[in-house]
């Protein structure tokens, strides 16, 4: 009778349960250590009679001076602790601009306009078509009215009109959602990288809503797609020193003056990827807002690689040989973004990862340093630290690379892929469209942790960690209200045009 083969170890032993047991043991080590000690003390107390317990209590002599000094010391330490503790910063609510149907640019429209505008440059038209086919964008992304003209009219007036349309619409919606009055705004931060007029965009907002004369206003430019999280960091720092305050952040990118009409391929890429969008965010340090706020800011980590020349020049605004201004995206962009991400997660990892993952990472690092440098480095499982991921929808390659490096599932990057498909790369506001997508699917529960990751020129990688303050009901409005039932959609590798 033939002998049955022995089952494989990997199939007979559930290794995943071993890993779960290891994680539970390490993460709850102190609790598991204290439970036996407390149990022994409880058993000893139960064995003692009432008279023995009373005698022990009487044997303790308390001097009045000692009691007063001890009480004063406890009060002093508690006061110092609470005074030095950073103020809690809340994200009360936010609003994303939803472009009108008239601004949509289906693939056929985009390519027809490209052929008419670049009629003497067929290779540039063909290149843009190949990029668009593999971009991950859908048929409903939008460009501002000035780009719909043939030829485009990237004038200062048209750029201001776009800025007013996207910023004021987002802010009006935010005021409606939160019930906030313009006079209640203490801090205003506007970020837009490529369009920086005089007076500034923040001054434009102040003029429109007649904000207070003592408002603290800031206008950030030239910081790329990660400027939204830089604005959050600035707002957080200001809210630490200004008690009982409200801060509004406006994140946008004005497309009108930045449409490239030249022939350089590296500068044609932004034409295919960037689309119009904007987000307005209300942050607060008021205790009264803790009950209605959606999120609480846990951590924010910024990494800047600008000291390295390759990083500095990888996203660079310049003129081509014909004098056309555009954004040059280096072929090394993905490698540089990967290095910036590594530096960022090295900092944020110890702040968010459970002890089990930190221990494995430390052992891997020691093993590579002492025994063999060719050992594959251990990649921490960030899925244990976060329930949701908002990766900047800069392009399909960016999302693919982060999904691979962080070992994320398709569901974890769904919000990023669907945002890229529906709205395109909206620069610094893309993270808020992604967060809105997660909420529109009813997936955000109280206590859930969200990791926002953004990249920007310079080169920068910035991360923000939010903790959900309350279970969020599926919104009936917002940028996804008319298409929520259609998403997620299948996005093919290549869409033949």
């Amino acid at each position: 009778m033939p002998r049955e083969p022995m089952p494989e170890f990997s199939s007979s032993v559930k290794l995943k349960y071993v890993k779960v047991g290891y994680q539970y043991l390490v993460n709850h080590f102190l609790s598991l250590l204290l439970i036996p000690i407390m149990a022994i003390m409880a058993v000893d107390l139960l064995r003692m009679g009432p008279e023995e317990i009373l005698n022990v209590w009487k044997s303790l002599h308390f001097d009045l001076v000692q009691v007063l000094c001890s009480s004063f010391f406890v009060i002093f330490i508690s006061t110092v602790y609470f005074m030095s503790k950073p103020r809690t910063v809340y994200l009360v609510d936010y609003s994303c601009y939803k472009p009108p149907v008239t601004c949509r640019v289906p693939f056929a429209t985009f390519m027809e306009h490209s052929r008419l505008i670049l009629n003497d440059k067929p290779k540039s038209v063909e290149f843009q078509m190949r990029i668009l086919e593999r971009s991950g964008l859908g048929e409903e992304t939008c460009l501002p009215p000035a780009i719909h003209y043939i030829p485009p009219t990237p004038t200062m007036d048209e750029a201001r009109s776009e800025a007013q349309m996207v910023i004021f619409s987002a802010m009006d919606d935010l005021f409606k959602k939160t019930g906030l009055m313009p006079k209640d705004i203490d801090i205003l931060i506007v970020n837009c990288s490529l369009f920086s007029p005089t007076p500034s965009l923040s001054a434009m907002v102040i003029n429109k809503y007649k904000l207070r004369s003592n408002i603290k206003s800031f206008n950030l430019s030239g910081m790329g797609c990660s400027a939204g999280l830089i604005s959050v960091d600035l707002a957080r720092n200001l809210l630490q020193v200004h008690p009982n305050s409200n801060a509004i952040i406006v994140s946008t990118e004005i497309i009108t003056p930045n449409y490239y009409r030249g022939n350089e391929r590296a500068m044609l890429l932004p034409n295919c990827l960037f689309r119009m969008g904007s987000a307005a965010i209300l942050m607060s340090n008021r205790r009264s807002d803790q009950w209605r706020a959606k999120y609480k800011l846990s951590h924010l980590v910024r990494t800047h690689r600008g000291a390295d020349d390759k990083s500095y020049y990888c996203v660079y605004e310049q003129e081509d040989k014909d004098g056309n201004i555009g954004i040059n995206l280096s072929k090394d962009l993905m490698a540089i973004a990967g290095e910036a991400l590594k530096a960022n997660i090295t900092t944020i990892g110890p702040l968010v990862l459970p002890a089990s993952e930190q221990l494995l990472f430390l052992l891997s690092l020691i093993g590579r340093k002492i025994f063999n440098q060719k050992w594959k480095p251990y990649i921490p499982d960030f899925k244990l630290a976060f329930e949701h991921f908002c990766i900047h929808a800069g392009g399909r390659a960016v999302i693919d690379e982060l999904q691979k490096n962080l070992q994320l599932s398709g569901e974890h990057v769904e919000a990023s892929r669907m945002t890229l498909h529906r709205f395109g790369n909206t620069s610094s506001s893309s993270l808020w469209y992604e967060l809105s997508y997660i909420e529109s699917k009813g997936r955000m529960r109280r206590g859930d942790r969200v990791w926002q990751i953004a990249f920007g020129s310079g080169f920068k990688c910035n991360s923000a960690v939010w903790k959900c303050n309350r279970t969020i009901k599926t919104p009936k409005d917002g940028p996804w209200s008319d298409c929520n039932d259609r998403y997620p959609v299948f996005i093919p590798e290549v869409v033949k045009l």
Side-chain angles (χ1 to χ4, degrees), residues 43-87:
V43 170
D44 287 341
L45 284 172
L46 290 172
R47 286 178 179 174
M48 296 173 65
E51 293 183 359
E52 291 179 298
I53 296 174
L54 186 62
N55 290 333
V56 171
W57 176 256
K58 289 180 178 179
S59 65
L60 299 174
H61 297 285
F62 296 102
D63 184 79
L64 180 61
V65 176
Q66 291 177 338
V67 171
L68 291 175
C69 290
S70 301
S71 302
F72 175 79
F73 182 74
V74 170
I75 294 171
F76 175 76
I77 294 296
S78 301
T79 303
V80 170
Y81 172 75
F82 285 109
M83 290 292 289
S84 60
K85 188 179 179 181
R87 299 181 195 275

Side-chain angles (χ1 to χ4, degrees), residues 173-194:
D173 190 48
L174 182 66
F175 287 142
K176 182 180 176 181
K177 278 184 178 181
T178 61
L180 189 74
M181 301 298 291
K183 63 181 178 60
D184 297 327
I185 302 174
D186 303 291
I187 299 165
L188 174 66
I189 303 169
V190 179
N191 68 263
C192 178
S193 290
L194 296 174

Side-chain angles (χ1 to χ4, degrees), residues 462-473:
N462 299 327
S463 292
V465 178
W466 302 90
K467 187 173 182 180
C468 187
N469 205 39
R470 56 182 171 85
T471 299
I472 298 172
K473 298 179 181 179

Side-chain angles (χ1 to χ4, degrees), residues 283-465:
M283 296 178 65
S284 171
N285 60 10
R286 301 185 182 205
R287 290 184 179 179
S288 57
D289 285 329
Q290 65 179 318
W291 307 112
R292 67 167 182 153
K294 284 187 172 182
Y295 302 95
K296 180 170 65 175
L297 183 61
S298 299
H299 305 287
L300 199 147
V301 174
R302 294 169 55 182
T303 304
H304 206 304
R305 307 276 294 180
D308 176 67
D309 287 345
K310 279 189 176 181
S311 299
Y312 176 74
Y313 288 105
C314 72
V315 181
Y316 199 74
E317 186 177 17
Q318 63 183 60
E319 292 178 334
D320 64 12
K321 59 184 179 180
D322 299 320
N324 297 304
I325 298 177
I327 303 297
N328 190 321
L329 301 180
S330 168
K331 61 182 180 180
D332 300 322
L333 178 60
M334 292 312 303
I336 291 167
E339 291 299 320
L341 176 66
K342 288 179 184 177
N344 190 270
I345 64 177
T346 301
T347 305
I348 202 170
L351 300 175
V352 297
L353 286 170
S356 57
E357 289 300 297
Q358 295 192 47
L359 180 60
L360 287 175
F361 180 77
L362 178 62
L363 293 175
S364 171
L365 184 64
I366 293 173
R368 293 182 71 227
K369 292 287 185 182
I370 297 177
F371 300 107
N372 189 352
Q373 291 187 352
K374 294 183 179 180
W375 280 7
K376 189 176 180 180
Y378 178 74
I379 300 174
D381 188 358
F382 281 93
K383 297 186 291 294
L384 298 173
F386 306 106
E387 284 74 32
H388 309 285
F389 296 81
C390 293
I391 299 167
H392 167 54
R396 183 180 222 147
V398 175
I399 301 171
D400 289 345
E401 191 68 20
L402 264 72
Q403 181 180 4
K404 178 183 175 183
N405 288 341
L406 297 176
Q407 300 177 349
L408 303 178
S409 67
E411 185 177 351
H412 288 126
V413 296
E414 181 184 314
S416 300
R417 292 195 189 280
M418 297 308 111
T419 296
L420 181 65
H421 182 271
R422 174 61 182 85
F423 296 100
N425 181 352
T426 60
S427 190
S428 59
S429 64
S430 69
L431 297 175
W432 305 105
Y433 286 91
E434 295 167 23
L435 193 60
S436 179
Y437 178 85
I438 297 170
E439 292 180 5
S440 71
K441 292 297 179 181
R443 298 173 184 171
M444 194 64 70
R445 298 284 183 267
R446 181 179 180 180
D448 283 1
R449 297 154 297 178
V450 186
W451 188 14
Q452 291 182 321
I453 313 171
F455 300 94
S457 57
F459 190 82
K460 299 179 284 291
C461 176
N462 299 327
S463 292
V465 178

Side-chain angles (χ1 to χ4, degrees), residues 189-191 220 227-236 249-251:
I189 303 169
V190 179
N191 68 263
L220 307 182
L229 295 187
I230 295 173
S231 298
V232 171
D233 187 33
L234 176 58
R236 177 188 65 171
I249 297 170
V250 178
S251 289

